[in-house]
Amino acid sequence: MPEVEAHITGTVWKIEVAVGDQIDEGDTVVILESMKMEMPVAADAPGEVKEILVEEGQSVSEGDPLVVLA
């Protein structure tokens, strides 16, 4: 299953999707905060959100999986 990964190191500021949501390529799934800036993380492919692997306030590193799509 494809995963949406963090493209920067930061903190999960807001989760924009829920399990079961249908999303399109380019839709924002998570907003990360890094160096006082909000950085949206977009889906690379369309699909259904199967699992959310992070929580708001959680620290993530570049490359960490955030959301699993089906």
Side-chain angles (χ1 to χ4, degrees):
M1 286 189 227
E3 296 177 333
V4 180
E5 298 178 346
H7 60 286
I8 56 168
T9 297
T11 302
V12 177
W13 184 72
K14 188 171 184 184
I15 298 170
E16 295 280 297
V17 295
V19 172
D21 286 356
Q22 292 289 331
I23 60 170
D24 292 320
E25 181 177 347
D27 285 354
T28 299
V29 295
V30 173
I31 299 175
L32 299 179
E33 180 184 4
S34 180
M35 298 183 294
K36 306 283 184 194
M37 295 178 59
E38 295 172 13
M39 309 291 281
V41 179
D44 295 333
E48 179 183 346
V49 177
K50 284 296 185 188
E51 189 176 0
I52 298 171
L53 304 173
V54 294
E55 296 179 359
E56 291 179 0
Q58 180 178 335
S59 295
V60 295
S61 297
E62 183 177 346
D64 284 354
L66 306 173
V67 174
V68 177
L69 303 177

